[in-house]
Amino acid sequence: MNPSSFRSALFLFAATLVASVALAAPPTPAHWAVQGPKSPAAPGASFTLTLTAHIDPGWHIYALEEPEGGPIATQIGLAEGDPLTLLDVAEPEPRMVPDPVLRQPTGMFQNAADFTVKVRAPRSLPSGASSRILVRYQSCNDQICLPPHTETITLPLHGIVR
């Protein structure tokens, strides 16, 4: 194989490797964390969780409600069969701006956003129980929007519900 053919083959291999890694692990510009209540909740009582999105610079996610034909609104829920009962989800006041990609006013969050999730504890809790909070959201920057992504955040309930 001559040097020119070898370089071409090497370049093609490297490009294919980079593309396959990029397709296998798309970027997730929003990173989620959950914080439980300050004191344990009694069985059957309601309590509040704080779900925080830490958003990479240059990216944003959307509010819980968006106009028809607009971007994918953020959705927060619990996995099927979760021991907690979802009562309410609230968000901070979103920044209303004309979306640079969708070209319409949208509510968005940049840098960070704290969502308040009100839940009810079960009357009885099996040992080792945990909650699985599902967050479906779309991340965009000034040039592209990534496909919607669902993140599962696991919250061990030991110590949160007594």
Side-chain angles (χ1 to χ4, degrees), residues 2 20 25-26 32 45 61-63 68 84 95 99 136 160:
N2 69 40
S20 66
W32 297 87
I61 64 171
Y62 294 99
E68 185 76 27
L84 299 179
R95 183 173 161 226
D99 188 278
R136 182 169 170 79
I160 292 177

Side-chain angles (χ1 to χ4, degrees), residues 34-114:
V34 64
Q35 182 178 356
K38 298 207 185 301
S39 59
S46 61
F47 61 95
T48 302
L49 302 171
T50 301
L51 188 60
T52 302
H54 298 280
I55 306 161
D56 291 346
W59 290 88
H60 59 268
I61 64 171
Y62 294 99
L64 295 174
E65 293 184 27
E66 290 295 336
E68 185 76 27
I72 306 294
T74 298
Q75 300 172 346
I76 298 172
L78 299 173
E80 187 174 327
D82 198 276
L84 299 179
T85 301
L86 182 65
L87 301 175
D88 188 46
V89 177
E91 65 187 348
E93 188 69 32
R95 183 173 161 226
M96 297 301 291
V97 297
D99 188 278
V101 175
L102 301 168
R103 303 196 193 292
Q104 65 178 319
T106 59
M108 64 175 63
F109 301 103
Q110 295 175 301
N111 303 317
D114 289 332

Side-chain angles (χ1 to χ4, degrees), residues 13-26:
F13 173 75
T16 303
L17 182 62
V18 168
S20 66
V21 168
L23 290 174

Side-chain angles (χ1 to χ4, degrees), residues 28 30 32 61 72-75 135-139 147-149 151:
T28 53
W32 297 87
I61 64 171
I72 306 294
T74 298
Q75 300 172 346
V135 183
R136 182 169 170 79
Y137 64 96
Q138 185 172 31
S139 303
H149 176 75
E151 188 83 26

